[in-house]
Amino acid sequence: MSPRNVEKDLQQREQRINRILDSALEIIAVKGIGSVSINHIAAAAGMSIGNMYHYFKSKDEIISEILRRGQTSYGEHVSGLAKQQGNALDKLLLLCESWLAMENNWAYTILIHTARLSDASSDEIRRAVTERFTNNLGPVATVMEQGQQEGLVVSGTPVELAYYFVSLIQGLTLQKLPGAEVPIRAQARSIVSLFAARPGL
Amino acid sequence: MSPRNVEKDLQQREQRINRILDSALEIIAVKGIGSVSINHIAAAAGMSIGNMYHYFKSKDEIISEILRRGQTSYGEHVSGLAKQQGNALDKLLLLCESWLAMENNWAYTILIHTARLSDASSDEIRRAVTERFTNNLGPVATVMEQGQQEGLVVSGTPVELAYYFVSLIQGLTLQKLPGAEVPIRAQARSIVSLFAARPGL
Amino acid sequence: MSPRNVEKDLQQREQRINRILDSALEIIAVKGIGSVSINHIAAAAGMSIGNMYHYFKSKDEIISEILRRGQTSYGEHVSGLAKQQGNALDKLLLLCESWLAMENNWAYTILIHTARLSDASSDEIRRAVTERFTNNLGPVATVMEQGQQEGLVVSGTPVELAYYFVSLIQGLTLQKLPGAEVPIRAQARSIVSLFAARPGL
Amino acid sequence: MSPRNVEKDLQQREQRINRILDSALEIIAVKGIGSVSINHIAAAAGMSIGNMYHYFKSKDEIISEILRRGQTSYGEHVSGLAKQQGNALDKLLLLCESWLAMENNWAYTILIHTARLSDASSDEIRRAVTERFTNNLGPVATVMEQGQQEGLVVSGTPVELAYYFVSLIQGLTLQKLPGAEVPIRAQARSIVSLFAARPGL
DNA sequence: CATGAATGAGGTTTCATTCAT
DNA sequence: GATGAATGAAACCTCATTCAT
């Protein structure tokens, strides 16, 4: 019926949405969180302000979607890692390295905390973000448990250890935000070794 | 006119400044960082908007001063702790407990990161905040070093360990921000034990 | 291509137009006049925004057409009533009852006044609406005149009486608009009796 | 304490508020209700847009205040009328004449109905407007009752008669809105006589 | 004929800062 | 010192209309 190419339209829509989200994240990363205005996002995405609202109901929804994608993709990453071959410490090392190496992770992290803190964010967003964060602890906890059985990881409640591990990495991530970087380099190996059971213990 | 008045004026000035800073921090803690407007601060401090500018050149200066005081007082706290009697692990435990117990620490922490991230913040502010953060690592590093000499703390560059320790605590602090708290309780003892050399090692 | 198709096309066009007008009126009635956007009408009518402009040149034309149909149909109703058998008071009673009973009459009435008031409305629309309103007084005036000859209706210029009668009904209609209804019930019989010559006078 | 002249400030504030309200009503009267934007009101009042918000929390509050003042002043007018010397019909005549003579009454009337209809208006505004409207019927009902005791007014529930009387006047008022006036002149004397008991009845 | 993406102006509101009093 | 009115830029969002497909 429709003279429009529906499939192509959907593809284009997908592309636009990605462009918006990428632009928004880019702005946060480059100019800081205070600059994430619809105005700036629209300019960066090369579209009109009004048109943004064809793709997102509100600015909040954009932020919310960035968070969802970021956390989901991170969750899959961690989940995949947990299922791979290898001992627990190697997995933790990999996780730590990949996280610290990734550019713009501080942007995600700041975004997460800002979203959870902001007045503007609806309770729903806050709950969703926190819930995903908590869920993402799962695979890390699994790795911790595996490590304990292997005798490679310190004793303690696995999920609590995971909580510390992730918080530590996030804390370090925040120290790396641009403009004023703390002049100390984090070493993945050293971090993981904090969670390692000492041989002969 | 009399010298008494000058002194009294100075006292009053001091009081006003404190009132402003306290009100601002209170607002951040209660209503969130998005709500910190000169308007709200003035109302909370019980003064007129215009009068605020007799005490601070700009809103930025208020934020900046809150940070300076917070970080300085924290620095003194840590510094005092390092000089006290006792073994390193006890000191770390004390530090960890006092930090996790303190209400509104997340407000300071968020404030620090926001200030460092914000466009609005001048480079100077960012540098100052980061510099104080780095300086405050000093006493913790000293404690780490002491612990290593006592055989109680894991090996590694002391300042790096201090960096991890503080980042971990800050990371945990951010998870506790109100509205959506992660349903896992952090245990100071468990955290400190990550940095403990195992007996018999 | 075949003549059948042309006819069918015309039918469909008619249907679409009706669907649009009905949806628009429905929205006004349910959600209020502030919500009548092309967007909403299109959604309610189950068509695309762009397609609306194949049937109407502008939003104004939609509103204008709703008014035209509403006023025309009301005019026919009144005109038919005037020509029926029966005495004048019975006719007025019937008119009054049917108007007060009809749901959504307030929507038409508000629409009429809004259209006449709005900047947006062209002078032409305003004139057309007012002219139809004035014309619709004719049959009512005829009934008044008939009533005076029957000795049943108070004396006075018939068209002026008609003007009062219709204004009274419209005034009452507006009091019934949803959200805050005046807690007094209008009685058609009482209203008509205001225009009745008292027996024995 | 304050070097400002408090009394003068209050006076000036009062003046500004009046200026805003007058300008808003003027705009409604001259340009139509669609043009009542903060923009236009500010321009008409000769102040900046932002400054409007020192005097009113929102546009809604401005509208709401106009309504409150208009209805209150009308209520006092009617109430005063009811208490004056003279027979009921004279009072009704006076009321009718003064209302029909007053310029911009249609603006109030339209405003009342728009406020009650608008989505934007909070339920509270709607309730307040309707309640004041209902209350304002009281004095008119008193006059009706007085008239019935004098044998000058038709029989019927006084408040119902008042309801018809006011609705009729409001209905007529709406017909007079500018741009397209119905070419029939309302005569106060004729209107009142609809409510008059005929002598000898 | 049908679609809905795109535009840009305009709406309401907030806010840091200045300034006359 | 003290006040709060005043400003103007910028934020978010809506909407009638156009146009390529």
Side-chain angles (χ1 to χ4, degrees):
Chain A
M1 281 293 176
S2 165
R4 295 276 284 270
N5 186 333
V6 175
E7 195 177 339
K8 197 175 151 198
D9 275 13
L10 275 178
Q11 270 184 13
Q12 210 185 36
R13 187 177 177 84
E14 186 75 15
Q15 278 175 8
R16 296 275 194 192
I17 286 179
N18 285 334
R19 184 131 57 98
I20 292 172
L21 296 177
D22 291 347
S23 301
L25 192 59
E26 172 101 7
I27 287 175
I28 296 174
V30 172
K31 292 204 192 171
I33 245 192
S35 300
V36 202
S37 69
I38 290 285
N39 241 333
H40 291 149
I41 300 176
M47 20 191 326
S48 74
I49 296 173
N51 199 21
M52 307 278 299
Y53 288 85
H54 277 287
Y55 299 100
F56 294 96
K57 263 204 310 276
S58 66
K59 181 189 160 184
D60 240 50
E61 208 182 64
I62 295 175
I63 301 295
S64 165
E65 178 64 7
I66 292 178
L67 286 171
R68 198 188 61 73
R69 294 200 175 188
Q71 290 186 296
T72 303
S73 121
Y74 166 77
E76 284 163 4
H77 176 59
V78 179
S79 188
L81 211 83
K83 285 175 193 146
Q84 277 182 353
Q85 295 277 334
N87 73 49
L89 290 185
D90 285 346
K91 289 178 184 174
L92 291 179
L93 192 63
L94 216 58
L95 178 56
C96 195
E97 274 171 344
S98 66
W99 183 260
L100 290 178
M102 238 170 91
E103 290 285 331
N104 291 355
N105 264 348
W106 61 265
Y108 271 121
T109 306
I110 270 282
L111 203 49
I112 287 175
H113 294 309
T114 304
R116 288 175 63 203
L117 186 58
S118 159
D119 283 345
S121 310
S122 64
D123 284 348
E124 202 185 353
I125 289 182
R126 273 196 283 249
R127 231 182 315 121
V129 169
T130 303
E131 190 184 328
R132 283 193 297 262
F133 173 87
T134 310
N135 287 342
N136 284 344
L137 288 180
V140 183
T142 307
V143 173
M144 292 290 179
E145 200 171 6
Q146 174 200 343
Q148 290 173 332
Q149 288 165 359
E150 295 167 344
L152 294 174
V153 162
V154 294
S155 61
T157 322
V159 77
E160 208 182 308
L161 290 176
Y163 186 39
Y164 300 149
F165 186 76
V166 171
S167 294
L168 172 46
I169 291 180
Q170 282 200 0
L172 286 170
T173 304
L174 289 177
Q175 317 298 357
K176 286 173 57 185
L177 44 84
E181 308 189 15
V182 176
I184 298 176
R185 175 174 292 274
Q187 307 285 350
R189 193 162 298 276
S190 312
I191 294 164
V192 170
S193 76
L194 293 175
F195 292 83
R198 303 305 180 280
L201 197 69
Chain B
M1 288 300 172
S2 78
R4 281 301 281 163
N5 274 355
V6 173
E7 196 179 331
K8 200 171 146 197
D9 280 6
L10 274 178
Q11 269 186 11
Q12 207 188 30
R13 185 178 177 83
E14 186 74 17
Q15 278 176 5
R16 300 269 195 184
I17 287 181
N18 284 334
R19 188 129 55 95
I20 292 172
L21 296 176
D22 290 348
S23 301
L25 189 59
E26 173 98 9
I27 288 175
I28 295 174
V30 172
K31 291 200 190 174
I33 246 190
S35 301
V36 203
S37 70
I38 289 284
N39 238 329
H40 291 150
I41 299 176
M47 342 180 11
S48 72
I49 297 170
N51 202 18
M52 309 273 299
Y53 285 84
H54 280 292
Y55 299 101
F56 293 97
K57 239 184 1 246
S58 68
K59 181 189 161 183
D60 242 50
E61 209 183 62
I62 295 176
I63 301 296
S64 163
E65 179 63 9
I66 292 178
L67 285 173
R68 199 188 61 73
R69 294 200 174 189
Q71 290 188 295
T72 301
S73 122
Y74 167 76
E76 285 163 2
H77 177 59
V78 179
S79 187
L81 212 84
K83 287 176 192 145
Q84 277 182 351
Q85 295 275 334
N87 72 46
L89 290 186
D90 285 347
K91 289 178 184 174
L92 291 180
L93 191 62
L94 216 57
L95 179 56
C96 195
E97 275 172 343
S98 65
W99 184 260
L100 290 179
M102 236 170 91
E103 291 282 332
N104 294 354
N105 264 349
W106 60 264
Y108 270 121
T109 307
I110 271 281
L111 204 50
I112 287 175
H113 294 310
T114 304
R116 288 176 63 202
L117 189 55
S118 159
D119 279 344
S121 310
S122 62
D123 284 347
E124 202 185 351
I125 290 182
R126 273 195 283 248
R127 231 180 315 117
V129 169
T130 304
E131 191 185 326
R132 283 193 297 265
F133 174 86
T134 311
N135 287 342
N136 284 342
L137 288 180
V140 182
T142 305
V143 173
M144 291 291 179
E145 200 171 4
Q146 174 201 341
Q148 290 173 332
Q149 287 166 0
E150 294 167 345
L152 294 174
V153 162
V154 293
S155 62
T157 322
V159 77
E160 207 182 309
L161 291 176
Y163 185 40
Y164 299 151
F165 186 75
V166 172
S167 294
L168 173 45
I169 291 181
Q170 282 200 0
L172 287 170
T173 303
L174 288 178
Q175 316 297 357
K176 287 172 58 184
L177 45 84
E181 309 187 15
V182 175
I184 298 175
R185 174 175 292 274
Q187 308 284 351
R189 192 163 298 276
S190 313
I191 294 164
V192 171
S193 76
L194 293 176
F195 293 83
R198 303 303 181 284
L201 198 68
Chain C
M1 289 301 172
S2 79
R4 280 301 281 162
N5 274 353
V6 173
E7 196 179 334
K8 200 173 146 196
D9 281 6
L10 274 179
Q11 270 185 11
Q12 208 188 33
R13 185 178 176 84
E14 186 74 16
Q15 278 176 6
R16 299 269 195 186
I17 287 180
N18 285 334
R19 188 131 54 95
I20 293 172
L21 296 177
D22 289 348
S23 301
L25 191 59
E26 173 99 8
I27 287 175
I28 296 174
V30 172
K31 291 201 189 173
I33 247 189
S35 301
V36 203
S37 70
I38 289 285
N39 239 327
H40 291 151
I41 299 175
M47 337 177 18
S48 73
I49 298 169
N51 202 17
M52 308 273 300
Y53 285 84
H54 282 291
Y55 300 102
F56 293 97
K57 237 184 4 243
S58 67
K59 182 188 160 185
D60 242 50
E61 208 183 64
I62 295 175
I63 301 296
S64 162
E65 179 63 8
I66 292 178
L67 286 172
R68 199 189 60 73
R69 294 201 175 188
Q71 291 188 296
T72 303
S73 121
Y74 166 76
E76 286 163 0
H77 175 60
V78 180
S79 187
L81 210 84
K83 288 176 190 143
Q84 277 181 350
Q85 295 278 334
N87 72 49
L89 290 185
D90 285 347
K91 289 178 184 175
L92 289 180
L93 191 63
L94 216 57
L95 177 57
C96 194
E97 275 172 342
S98 66
W99 184 260
L100 290 178
M102 236 169 92
E103 291 283 331
N104 293 353
N105 264 348
W106 61 264
Y108 270 121
T109 307
I110 271 282
L111 203 50
I112 287 175
H113 294 311
T114 303
R116 288 176 64 201
L117 190 55
S118 159
D119 278 346
S121 311
S122 61
D123 284 348
E124 201 184 354
I125 290 182
R126 273 195 284 249
R127 231 181 314 119
V129 170
T130 304
E131 191 185 328
R132 283 193 296 264
F133 173 86
T134 311
N135 287 342
N136 283 343
L137 288 181
V140 182
T142 305
V143 173
M144 292 291 180
E145 201 170 4
Q146 173 200 344
Q148 291 174 331
Q149 289 165 358
E150 295 166 345
L152 294 174
V153 163
V154 292
S155 61
T157 323
V159 77
E160 208 183 307
L161 290 176
Y163 185 39
Y164 299 150
F165 186 76
V166 171
S167 294
L168 172 46
I169 291 180
Q170 282 200 359
L172 286 170
T173 303
L174 289 177
Q175 317 297 358
K176 286 174 59 185
L177 45 84
E181 309 189 13
V182 175
I184 298 174
R185 173 175 292 273
Q187 308 285 351
R189 192 164 298 275
S190 311
I191 293 163
V192 170
S193 78
L194 292 176
F195 292 82
R198 306 302 181 282
L201 196 69
Chain D
M1 282 295 177
S2 165
R4 295 276 282 269
N5 185 334
V6 175
E7 196 176 339
K8 197 176 151 198
D9 275 13
L10 276 179
Q11 269 184 13
Q12 209 184 37
R13 188 178 177 83
E14 185 76 16
Q15 278 175 8
R16 297 277 194 193
I17 287 180
N18 286 333
R19 185 132 57 98
I20 292 172
L21 296 177
D22 290 348
S23 301
L25 192 59
E26 173 99 8
I27 287 175
I28 296 173
V30 173
K31 292 203 192 173
I33 247 192
S35 299
V36 203
S37 69
I38 290 285
N39 240 334
H40 291 148
I41 299 176
M47 20 191 325
S48 74
I49 297 174
N51 199 22
M52 306 281 298
Y53 287 85
H54 277 287
Y55 299 100
F56 294 97
K57 264 205 310 276
S58 66
K59 182 189 160 185
D60 238 50
E61 208 183 63
I62 295 176
I63 301 296
S64 164
E65 179 64 8
I66 292 178
L67 286 171
R68 199 189 60 73
R69 294 201 176 188
Q71 289 187 297
T72 303
S73 120
Y74 167 76
E76 284 163 3
H77 176 59
V78 178
S79 187
L81 211 84
K83 285 173 191 147
Q84 277 181 351
Q85 295 276 333
N87 72 48
L89 290 186
D90 285 346
K91 289 178 184 175
L92 291 180
L93 191 63
L94 216 55
L95 177 58
C96 196
E97 274 171 343
S98 65
W99 183 261
L100 290 178
M102 239 169 88
E103 290 284 331
N104 293 353
N105 263 349
W106 61 265
Y108 271 121
T109 306
I110 269 283
L111 202 50
I112 287 174
H113 295 309
T114 303
R116 289 177 62 203
L117 186 58
S118 160
D119 282 344
S121 311
S122 63
D123 282 349
E124 202 185 353
I125 290 183
R126 273 195 283 250
R127 231 182 313 118
V129 169
T130 303
E131 191 185 326
R132 284 194 295 263
F133 173 86
T134 310
N135 287 342
N136 283 343
L137 287 181
V140 183
T142 306
V143 173
M144 291 291 180
E145 201 171 5
Q146 174 200 342
Q148 290 174 331
Q149 288 166 359
E150 294 167 344
L152 295 174
V153 162
V154 293
S155 60
T157 323
V159 78
E160 207 183 309
L161 291 176
Y163 185 40
Y164 299 149
F165 185 77
V166 171
S167 294
L168 171 46
I169 291 180
Q170 282 200 359
L172 286 170
T173 304
L174 289 177
Q175 316 299 356
K176 285 173 60 185
L177 45 83
E181 308 187 17
V182 176
I184 298 175
R185 174 173 292 273
Q187 309 284 350
R189 191 162 298 275
S190 312
I191 294 164
V192 171
S193 77
L194 293 176
F195 293 82
R198 302 306 179 282
L201 198 69

